[in-house]
């Protein structure tokens, strides 16, 4: 029987503002997923948060897009919204874009990353959770894990991964996807995924060899909110699942890309570029200018479709230097105030006053 890890997340109310998740919502998640476990819907779970996003991490044997599992997550978010309204959390129900559940939560507001795989004798899995940014924020780190020999030593020295990987890239505007092989198509792949607001890495697969070719080894949530709501109501604050070791990059090779706090879009009002800062779950709260954008990582050693206890991987002084650098970059970017490239280009902003400003100036524009 195969094992499935599902991470389903939503912002159902912030505390305070878009800062973090209220303990009552975590409590709601624990209680309801506990009931789901007792009913046999899932085998194991861990409820946590990154910034103001409630994160449900679940292990089961039911495969991806399973109705019972998705419905359980949806019910947690619905109940969470009720609690959030009662205690007047900020933006209660923010990501609950549709009213009625129709089989799976795809396209309803929440973000989803799921992988189904044959459990190896040792199965380390990392769940990455980001707040105040978009799915394309995963492009650079996932590329580096699976395709960059300067990041992943194993690509050069481990015979089991030397042949490379296959990337599934989505065009999130045209709803198309393409499979691309590395190292053969590295440059073509980079030509796409460098445009991270449009082309996103959805999954990574192994090539023929040690692991089944049809079982993903990495998956990123890509539920672009503006597609579902008809307008852009929040950067997606994506999650990702990455399996490690034995035919895959080592744990440390998967974490290594996050030692560079690369620039991502999101941050204040979903309309600014800023550095992605790796933090512990305890520090996964957004403060300075509603950020800077954060990423937390929980490591699990999967056992017979159970999660066991997580290890908070960025809760480590080894990432202090990165955090310091991120703070330095945050300060540098902030000094630009309302100017690009701190503020996003017009097309990528979630808020804009430009139409109103243009209306006000109508009639005052002269031929130049
Ligand atoms: P161990 O010898 O500690 O198992 O580590 C192997 C490895 O590949 C570390 O990257
Ligand atoms: P969230 O997408 O995390 O709710 O943040 C929205 C925002 O506007 C932050 O400034
Ligand atoms: Mg919010
Ligand atoms: Mg958020």
């Amino acid at each position: 029987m195969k094992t499935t890890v599902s991470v389903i997340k939503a912002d159902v109310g912030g505390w305070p503002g878009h800062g973090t998740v209220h303990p009552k919502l975590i409590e709601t998640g624990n209680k309801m997923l506990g009931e789901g476990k007792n009913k046999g819907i899932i085998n194991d779970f861990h409820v946590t948060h990154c910034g103001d996003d409630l994160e449900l991490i679940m292990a089961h044997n039911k495969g991806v897009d399973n109705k019972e599992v998705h419905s359980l997550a949806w019910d947690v978010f619905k109940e969470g919204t009720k609690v959030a309204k009662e205690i007047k959390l900020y933006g209660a129900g923010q990501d609950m874009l549709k009213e009625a559940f129709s089989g799976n939560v795809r396209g309803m507001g929440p973000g989803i990353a799921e992988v189904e795989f044959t459990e190896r004798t040792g199965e380390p899995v990392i769940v990455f959770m980001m707040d105040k940014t978009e799915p394309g924020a995963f492009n650079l780190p996932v590329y580096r894990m699976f395709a960059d020999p300067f990041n992943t030593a194993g690509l050069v020295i481990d015979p089991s991964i030397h042949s490379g990987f296959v990337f599934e890239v989505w065009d999130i505007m045209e709803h198309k996807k393409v499979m691309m092989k590395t190292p053969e198509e590295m440059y073509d792949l980079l030509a796409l995924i460098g445009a991270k607001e449009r082309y996103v890495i959805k999954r990574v697969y192994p090539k023929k060899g040690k692991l089944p070719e049809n079982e993903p080894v990495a998956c990123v949530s890509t539920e672009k909110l503006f597609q579902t709501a008809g307008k852009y109501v929040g950067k997606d604050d994506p999650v990702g699942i990455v399996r490690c070791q034995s035919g895959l990059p080592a744990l440390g090779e998967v974490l290594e890309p996050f030692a560079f706090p690369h620039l991502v879009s999101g941050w204040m009002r979903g309309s600014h570029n800023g550095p992605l800062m790796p933090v512990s779950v305890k520090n996964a709260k957004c403060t300075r200018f509603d950020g800077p954008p954060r990423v937390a990582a929980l490591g699990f050693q999967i056992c017979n479709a159970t999660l066991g206890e997580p290890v908070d991987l960025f809760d480590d002084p080894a990432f202090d230097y990165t955090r310091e650098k991120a703070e330095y970059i945050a300060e540098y970017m902030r000094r630009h105030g309302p100017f690009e490239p701190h503020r996003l280009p017009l097309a990528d902003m979630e808020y804009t006053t430009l139409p109103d400003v243009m209306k006000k100036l109508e009639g005052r524009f002269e031929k130049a």
Side-chain angles (χ1 to χ4, degrees):
M1 197 163 28
K2 289 190 189 182
T3 295
T4 309
V5 175
S6 303
V7 185
I8 308 188
K9 48 112 353 206
D11 176 347
V12 296
W15 178 57
H18 295 283
T20 184
V21 167
H22 194 280
K24 279 199 166 155
L25 298 184
I26 302 278
E27 216 175 278
T28 303
N30 277 321
K31 183 173 161 282
M32 293 181 69
L33 292 192
E35 287 161 10
K37 183 178 163 180
N38 291 340
K39 283 186 200 150
I41 299 171
I42 50 174
N43 295 356
D44 202 2
F45 64 92
H46 182 73
V47 179
T48 186
H49 77 98
C50 181
D52 60 358
D53 293 276
L54 181 60
E55 315 273 356
L56 312 178
I57 305 170
M58 299 172 282
H60 55 92
N61 299 109
K62 297 201 158 65
V64 303
D65 281 330
N66 177 268
K67 191 171 173 174
E68 278 182 291
V69 174
H70 281 222
S71 160
L72 177 62
W74 182 254
D75 288 344
V76 172
F77 298 141
K78 237 173 45 187
E79 185 59 28
T81 301
K82 226 164 86 186
V83 173
K85 282 182 176 156
E86 271 162 27
I87 58 175
K88 293 183 71 177
L89 295 178
Y90 191 71
Q94 176 178 289
D95 290 350
M96 304 295 280
L97 303 178
K98 297 211 173 137
E99 290 291 318
F101 182 77
S102 59
N104 74 59
V105 289
R106 231 166 266 290
M108 300 186 72
I112 313 133
E114 288 184 297
V115 284
E116 186 187 29
F117 53 86
T118 310
E119 235 178 84
R120 296 166 293 166
T121 46
E123 187 63 61
V125 169
I126 306 180
V127 173
F128 291 99
M129 301 162 287
M130 297 182 182
D131 189 34
K132 304 298 181 270
T133 189
E134 61 182 0
F138 272 106
N139 282 7
L140 184 148
V142 173
Y143 170 80
R144 297 196 70 190
M145 290 168 203
F146 290 96
D148 179 3
F150 280 76
N151 179 86
T152 297
L155 292 169
V156 181
I157 65 175
D158 178 354
S160 75
I161 64 173
H162 190 63
S163 64
F165 291 91
V166 182
F167 288 74
E168 177 183 331
V169 177
W170 281 21
D171 174 342
I172 51 181
M173 293 184 178
E174 297 262 327
H175 299 274
K176 290 192 293 206
K177 63 175 184 179
V178 59
M179 305 296 279
M180 300 182 85
K181 290 185 176 151
T182 56
E184 304 92 299
E185 299 179 290
M186 253 168 92
Y187 299 163
D188 291 343
L189 174 65
L190 287 168
L192 296 188
I193 64 174
K196 62 183 171 42
E197 74 294 342
R198 172 155 189 178
Y199 297 100
V200 299
I201 299 170
K202 176 67 190 177
R203 293 185 187 88
V204 180
Y205 290 91
K207 280 186 180 163
K208 200 172 171 62
K210 201 168 168 170
L211 298 169
E213 287 165 77
N214 60 347
E215 295 181 3
V217 294
C219 178
V220 175
S221 67
T222 49
E223 286 66 32
K224 198 84 188 158
L225 284 181
F226 90 89
Q227 305 278 27
T228 40
K231 69 181 173 75
Y232 213 163
V233 294
K235 288 282 185 283
D236 295 30
D237 302 339
V239 287
I241 303 173
V242 183
R243 300 167 59 207
C244 328
Q245 306 284 160
S246 316
L248 298 173
L251 184 90
E253 289 167 338
V254 171
L255 296 175
E256 178 65 9
F258 295 95
F260 170 58
H262 69 298
L263 290 173
V264 298
S265 51
W267 206 350
M268 173 57 73
R269 297 170 189 274
S271 304
H272 293 81
N273 282 311
L276 185 68
M277 184 158 81
V279 291
S280 62
V281 171
K282 171 171 66 68
N283 288 327
K285 55 173 183 267
C286 291
T287 54
R288 184 173 184 190
F289 202 53
D290 281 2
R294 304 205 182 201
V295 56
L298 290 182
F300 297 92
Q301 192 66 31
I302 306 294
C303 176
N304 304 326
T306 62
L307 298 167
E309 282 300 305
V311 177
D312 191 343
L313 295 164
F314 292 141
D315 185 12
D316 181 350
F319 285 91
D320 282 351
Y321 175 72
T322 308
R323 291 189 270 265
E324 206 176 293
K325 206 175 202 174
E327 285 164 26
Y328 180 87
I329 297 166
E331 176 62 22
Y332 174 83
M333 295 300 283
R334 279 302 301 128
R335 295 283 72 84
H336 294 78
F339 285 82
E340 296 175 16
H342 179 30
R343 204 214 67 200
L344 295 182
L346 290 174
D348 296 340
M349 286 196 298
E350 284 186 25
Y351 287 71
T352 179
T353 48
L354 195 70
D356 292 338
V357 173
M358 290 307 285
K359 205 157 167 198
K360 216 162 64 189
L361 295 179
E362 224 174 46
R364 279 175 56 192
F365 269 105
E366 300 169 35
K367 200 171 163 68

